[in-house]
Amino acid sequence: MSVSLTQAAATHVSRNLEKRGKGFGLRLGVKTTGCSGMAYKLEYADAAAPEDLQFESFGVRVLIDPKSLPYIDGTELDFVREGLNEGFKFNNPNVKSECGCGESFNV
């Protein structure tokens, strides 16, 4: 079981952690919401919780709560720029369908 970052995502996270002046890594999880059932949640973590699973990509720690891992196992998190827009893109092999707006998914 694992979750990984691309080089672009790791660089983006590292820069933001430096700007914040603190941070342990990136916390990735899922929550029940949206029209398809689940949505990703991302936040910078200042410490790891005892139950967190930890993965590392390009020197950046990714923290995941055990309840979220079955839904995002195998996911690669990328950071992309398309025209004037930029943001994280989730390449999740577990997704069966997504809502029309792209904000939520179903596994």
Side-chain angles (χ1 to χ4, degrees), residues 16-70:
N16 281 311
L17 287 171
E18 284 180 29
K19 285 180 187 176
R20 287 179 80 230
K22 62 180 179 177
F24 184 77
L26 182 69
R27 185 177 307 283
L28 172 60
V30 295
K31 61 183 176 180
T32 304
T33 188
C35 45
S36 288
M38 307 194 98
Y40 299 105
K41 57 181 182 176
L42 278 172
E43 63 185 9
Y44 292 106
D46 293 331
E51 68 275 6
D52 281 340
L53 301 168
Q54 295 186 38
F55 303 96
E56 189 170 321
S57 290
F58 301 100
V60 174
R61 286 185 200 94
V62 180
L63 308 172
I64 301 171
D65 69 270
K67 291 180 183 177
S68 292
L69 187 59

